[in-house]
Amino acid sequence: MKEIMITSSVLILCIMLIRVIFKGKISSRLQYALWLLAALRLVIPFSAQISMPVGSIEDFRVMDLVELMEARVGDPSELLERPVSFTMSLEGGFGDMMAEWLSGKGGDSDVARQADGPTSVFLAGRIGAGWIDVFRGLWIGGMVLAAAWMLATNFFFWRRLHKGRREFVPAGGSGDKAEHESTCMDKKTGTGKNEKRSVKIYVVDELASPCLYGFPGREAIYLTPDAAEDEKRMRHVLTHEMCHRKHGDSFWSILRSVLVVVYWVNPLVWAAAFLSKRDCELACDEAALMLLGEDQRIPYGETLLSIITKKSRLSDLACTATTMTGSGRSVKERIRFIAEKPRVLGAAVVAALLLVLVVSVMVFTKNPRLSGGTWEEGDAVVISGELMVRLPETIAGISGYHIEENSGDILVYQVSSGREAGRFRALSFGEAVVLAEEGREIVPLGSYGRNPYLRQYLGLLNEDASVEVTEHNYLPDEAIGHTYIPGGAEGSAAGMDSNSNREEPDVMEDDTTYVLEGSVEYLPDEEIVTVGIPAAGSSELCYIYVKADDTRVKEADLDEMEYINRELEAVVNQAVIVSADREVGEKTFTDLAKNRTAYLGDASKVSALVNALPQPEGLAYTGIELHTDSDTELALDILYEMTAGRWEDVDEELMHVNAVMLFATIGNLEKCNFRIEGDQGEIKAEVNSQSSGSPASKEMEAGMLGHYEVMSIESISFERTDLEKKWGELWNGDAQAEENVLTEQLKSLYAQAVADSGMD
């Protein structure tokens, strides 16, 4: 209700201003049509949530401005939600009775008059209702009274018409029903033509003015005896009332009355009803003169003056009849319009329409409120593009998530306000730096992509155990050439001179020694830091969580918004970048749920499950072997060939995750083996590259066509019993479980397994 009251008031004021600015420069019918916007605003209980990509137009929309003001100074409507308090004196006879009732004692409990002297006793408390309930009661009570007034006014007017009316019969006519033959304009030729309109016409004595009255589509025209006796005057009146009928003014009169009843508490709605009724008559005069012709302009004005003999009253606003009465000011305005024939300016019409468009955007739209997925219990796993985020149960019910269509960002929002609390994003390093420089709160999601460089920029290096730091201290004014040796870390980047802000020169002589040429002066005890940043993959993106700007958040929502943000920051390390984890996407989990099977012997489904899972880097998948003999352990062998040059480049963590997923989707699987093979040359290189003995079981086998020998480099095994000690029962034996439910369960399990394995 608050939104309608504010926006409709602004709209009515704007329409009033447009009427003043363009008075006499635009068509009266266009001026009357402006009030249709006010009616729509009062009928439609909400604003359209539309994002406007036109500069900062969002800052000028009414409800956005209201919410911004409320966020800064508080929401005045919150005062209405407070309970009604009261204080009542307990002195006097009634007070004595109340005190006795409260204390439960007899006549000796006169607490207002004690032996030690006079005392004033008051009873303070709160009633169950709040001020908003009181206001609502007053509003509804006023609506009932206004509706009763409207209905009574129309009932008495209708009874007066029906009791005193007689059917009008034109001179020389003898029909049972009078029909008005009105002059209408032919739209094609622009010339006048006669068209019969079946409208009942009555004459009523002591009628203030001619009028059109009745339900839409069943109206009748009521004439005064004077108007019925003069043929020219009758023609003007009938044309005027038929224009009312053509414009549908009976319907608009009823709607006007209903809106006044509902919004009786807003004085601007009363003003709009009064002005729209006046503009209705001006629009009808304009349409009638177009039909009658310019030669009838002066006679029509004379007819108008002869008919309007009674001043308008407040009850005329309640009556839905299109009477021709009016105040002195409105009569003068109508006569001036008829006599002067205002010239409509095309530029003024265009300007007015543009203003109306701008005003409509201001009052009918507002910034979109986020909506999307919500969950009531458990964790929610959300996947968008490269991002796979596990939202915690602690914010279930009070927050929801929304995936932004263009960027793929995962937005988490507060349900009560519909405002963003934070978002998980994938963006370039430069964009992340810009956000940081703007003062936004940024939390990198592990060490994915270029996150190590972002962590270095944000000063988070010491939190990352994989980043090597070498410190050097120098004496005051010492000018020396010096050498950096960053701990022999392979792949370490050149250090940075913090005083001169110059990168170190190229590597010289060996892989670990860096030489800084020239002399540099150092301040006392200055610490020079050389940083080695490990290789972070081929991705050029940073993956981060960004806290939303809360400047427009209402004070009442701030605490909950901060809580949501803290909970999200606490789980950022459980986020998974699926592109870095071999393209795990929505289809992965759909395929896993679709092909789950209770039996290892179902070869087609088991094969589909293995193919659905991401494959470890450094290995090429070659097939599977199923061991289903009753005398042996039910085992699945997944076969790979070594493609990486070193064992360190093979993704062992993903094998652990894949094993968890296979035990969750194959009911009777007891053991999962990952067997990696390679040719003899690779094995020798591998063995020689290892400083310690390989744990692999090494056996030589005959190669295909004898071209080369293959050796089992590694066999990594996982037992169901071992994994279920940590994870609990992995297989869901519910055969009736819906596929979408299983998909969500597998997503959650995968996110937990990835976070536990340290893949991020």
Side-chain angles (χ1 to χ4, degrees):
M1 186 62 71
K2 178 179 72 174
E3 181 175 330
I4 293 182
M5 293 293 286
I6 293 174
T7 54
S8 62
S9 296
V10 171
L11 180 57
I12 290 170
L13 289 173
C14 289
I15 293 175
M16 289 179 178
L17 183 61
I18 291 173
R19 288 176 78 254
V20 172
I21 295 174
F22 296 99
K23 184 177 181 180
K25 301 181 181 66
I26 61 175
S27 166
S28 296
R29 286 172 294 174
L30 175 58
Q31 182 172 297
Y32 178 43
L34 295 179
W35 295 110
L36 175 61
L37 292 175
L40 287 175
R41 178 66 278 186
L42 291 169
V43 169
I44 301 174
F46 54 84
S47 297
Q49 298 184 18
I50 301 176
S51 180
M52 292 290 176
V54 185
S56 59
I57 193 170
E58 293 178 353
D59 295 335
F60 297 97
R61 292 192 281 190
V62 173
M63 290 312 300
D64 294 334
L65 287 172
V66 169
E67 292 185 6
L68 177 60
M69 182 181 67
E70 289 176 350
R72 292 179 178 176
V73 302
D75 186 357
S77 63
E78 292 179 359
L79 298 174
L80 295 175
E81 297 177 2
R82 297 179 180 178
V84 179
S85 303
F86 67 91
T87 302
M88 182 177 64
S89 174
L90 292 181
E91 294 183 349
F94 178 77
D96 289 343
M97 294 173 57
M98 182 63 68
E100 291 174 9
W101 178 75
L102 290 173
S103 63
K105 297 179 180 180
D108 295 333
S109 60
D110 187 1
V111 296
R113 290 177 291 278
Q114 300 293 338
D116 57 352
T119 303
S120 295
V121 181
F122 295 89
L123 176 66
R126 294 178 176 179
I127 64 176
W131 287 108
I132 187 68
D133 300 308
V134 174
F135 180 74
R136 186 181 295 114
L138 292 174
W139 190 318
I140 295 174
M143 287 173 57
V144 172
L145 292 176
W149 172 57
M150 295 274 186
L151 291 173
T153 299
N154 283 279
F155 172 75
F156 288 121
F157 185 73
W158 170 83
R159 190 174 67 170
R160 180 182 171 190
L161 290 178
H162 277 252
K163 288 181 68 175
R165 72 183 184 182
R166 59 182 183 276
E167 196 164 10
F168 170 72
V169 179
S174 59
D176 294 332
K177 181 178 68 174
E179 292 184 342
H180 168 53
E181 187 178 284
S182 63
T183 304
C184 300
M185 187 68 69
D186 190 317
K187 295 181 179 180
K188 294 182 179 180
T189 63
T191 59
K193 67 174 183 179
N194 289 335
E195 180 182 288
K196 285 196 174 183
R197 304 276 184 120
S198 180
V199 180
K200 290 183 178 181
I201 304 174
Y202 299 98
V203 178
V204 181
D205 295 328
E206 299 183 2
L207 187 63
S209 76
C211 65
L212 179 74
Y213 188 71
F215 287 105
R218 301 183 62 184
E219 307 98 329
I221 296 175
Y222 297 89
L223 302 176
T224 62
D226 292 342
E229 291 173 0
D230 190 316
E231 183 178 351
K232 182 176 68 173
R233 185 182 300 175
M234 184 183 66
R235 182 185 176 210
H236 294 161
V237 169
L238 292 179
T239 303
H240 179 93
E241 299 305 335
M242 287 301 295
C243 287
H244 274 307
R245 188 172 187 269
K246 184 178 180 182
H247 294 168
D249 289 332
S250 296
F251 169 78
W252 299 119
S253 294
I254 294 174
L255 179 61
R256 184 189 300 120
S257 299
V258 171
L259 294 176
V260 168
V261 167
V262 175
Y263 299 100
W264 66 270
V265 75
N266 189 348
L268 287 173
V269 174
W270 289 86
F274 176 77
L275 292 175
S276 64
K277 195 173 181 71
R278 180 189 294 182
D279 288 346
C280 172
E281 295 300 328
L282 285 172
C284 204
D285 289 338
E286 183 179 78
L289 287 172
M290 289 183 64
L291 295 175
L292 293 170
E294 285 299 315
D295 60 326
Q296 293 296 311
R297 182 172 290 274
I298 300 302
Y300 181 83
E302 294 173 347
T303 298
L304 191 62
L305 283 173
S306 66
I307 289 175
I308 303 178
T309 59
K310 182 181 177 183
K311 290 186 177 181
S312 60
R313 299 173 300 177
L314 185 61
S315 59
D316 293 337
L317 190 62
C319 184
T320 59
T322 60
T323 59
M324 298 182 71
T325 57
S327 63
R329 185 173 180 180
S330 65
V331 172
K332 289 179 182 178
E333 186 177 10
R334 293 174 68 180
I335 296 301
R336 186 181 301 112
F337 165 78
I338 294 171
E340 295 179 357
K341 187 186 176 181
R343 182 181 177 186
V344 176
L345 301 177
V349 172
V350 172
L353 291 176
L354 287 176
L355 274 177
V356 169
L357 177 62
V358 172
V359 170
S360 298
V361 171
M362 288 173 55
V363 299
F364 281 97
T365 69
K366 65 180 179 181
N367 227 358
R369 297 296 173 264
L370 294 171
S371 62
T374 56
W375 72 107
E376 296 300 327
E377 58 183 19
D379 295 347
V381 178
V382 186
I383 299 177
S384 173
E386 296 185 311
L387 296 166
M388 178 176 175
V389 178
R390 186 179 176 204
L391 304 178
E393 184 178 18
T394 53
I395 59 173
I398 63 173
S399 62
Y401 59 86
H402 170 80
I403 299 176
E404 200 167 69
E405 186 174 349
N406 296 328
S407 63
D409 293 354
I410 299 175
L411 279 64
V412 182
Y413 63 91
Q414 183 188 37
V415 171
S416 59
S417 66
R419 288 199 172 275
E420 178 183 342
R423 67 171 66 196
F424 295 85
R425 304 190 62 183
L427 71 176
S428 69
F429 176 78
E431 291 172 322
V433 168
V434 169
L435 286 176
E437 290 181 346
E438 290 176 352
R440 301 293 295 277
E441 294 186 31
I442 295 175
V443 182
L445 309 182
S447 296
Y448 287 112
R450 295 182 64 84
N451 279 14
Y453 298 93
L454 179 61
R455 294 171 69 85
Q456 179 188 27
Y457 175 82
L458 296 174
L460 302 175
L461 291 174
N462 291 332
E463 297 180 5
D464 193 337
S466 66
V467 176
E468 305 215 6
V469 177
T470 303
E471 300 178 355
H472 303 269
N473 295 322
Y474 295 91
L475 299 176
D477 300 324
E478 181 181 10
I480 58 172
H482 48 275
T483 300
Y484 290 139
I485 305 176
E490 290 190 66
S492 296
M496 181 72 72
D497 187 322
S498 65
N499 207 28
S500 62
N501 200 30
R502 293 187 303 162
E503 289 188 0
E504 293 182 6
D506 296 334
V507 176
M508 305 205 37
E509 298 183 357
D510 59 56
D511 293 334
T512 59
T513 301
Y514 301 83
V515 178
L516 177 65
E517 298 179 343
S519 299
V520 181
E521 292 184 358
Y522 295 91
L523 298 176
D525 300 325
E526 183 186 8
E527 185 180 87
I528 305 301
V529 180
T530 302
V531 181
I533 301 178
S538 59
S539 174
E540 295 298 321
L541 295 176
C542 292
Y543 302 93
I544 62 176
Y545 170 76
V546 186
K547 180 184 176 183
D549 181 7
D550 59 6
T551 55
R552 294 195 174 195
V553 178
K554 296 180 182 178
E555 186 175 354
D557 296 324
L558 273 177
D559 289 341
E560 187 175 88
M561 191 75 80
E562 286 292 336
Y563 173 74
I564 294 173
N565 184 68
R566 288 195 302 271
E567 294 299 300
L568 291 174
E569 289 181 350
V571 299
V572 292
N573 288 330
Q574 298 181 24
V576 177
I577 309 305
V578 294
S579 63
D581 296 321
R582 269 57 73 199
E583 302 299 336
V584 179
E586 190 75 31
K587 188 175 185 301
T588 297
F589 301 103
T590 303
D591 290 346
L592 289 175
K594 184 184 300 182
N595 293 289
R596 65 190 295 272
T597 176
Y599 306 104
L600 177 63
D602 192 341
S604 61
K605 287 196 172 182
V606 172
S607 177
L609 290 171
V610 174
N611 279 282
L613 290 169
Q615 303 302 322
E617 279 189 356
L619 301 176
Y621 172 64
T622 60
I624 59 174
E625 292 180 359
L626 308 179
H627 302 278
T628 57
D629 291 342
S630 58
D631 297 335
T632 62
E633 196 172 29
L634 295 172
L636 167 65
D637 289 356
I638 305 174
L639 310 180
Y640 295 103
E641 282 189 358
M642 183 88 167
T643 59
R646 304 178 308 163
W647 181 254
E648 287 85 349
D649 295 331
V650 175
D651 192 347
E652 293 184 72
E653 290 82 2
L654 186 58
M655 297 181 197
H656 171 262
V657 174
N658 284 355
V660 171
M661 303 307 293
L662 288 170
F663 285 126
T665 51
I666 303 175
N668 65 345
L669 177 62
E670 298 174 354
K671 186 175 183 179
C672 185
N673 303 311
F674 295 88
R675 288 171 44 191
I676 297 94
E677 300 175 338
D679 66 33
Q680 189 174 15
E682 290 174 346
I683 300 306
K684 289 179 180 179
E686 173 63 25
V687 171
N688 291 336
S689 69
Q690 298 288 333
S691 58
S692 60
S694 170
S697 60
K698 303 177 176 63
E699 33 181 278
M700 303 296 292
E701 299 179 1
M704 184 181 294
L705 300 179
H707 286 180
Y708 59 88
E709 293 181 309
V710 295
M711 173 181 280
S712 176
I713 300 173
E714 188 74 59
S715 181
I716 301 176
S717 300
F718 298 91
E719 300 274 355
R720 177 184 288 274
T721 54
D722 293 337
L723 291 179
E724 288 189 342
K725 286 178 183 178
K726 178 176 183 179
W727 296 97
E729 187 174 359
L730 292 172
W731 167 256
N732 179 1
D734 184 3
Q736 304 300 320
E738 296 182 3
E739 187 176 303
N740 61 334
V741 175
L742 293 172
T743 299
E744 295 302 317
Q745 292 175 352
L746 292 172
K747 283 183 187 178
S748 181
L749 179 63
Y750 185 85
Q752 295 178 56
V754 168
D756 182 70
S757 69
M759 285 174 58
D760 61 338

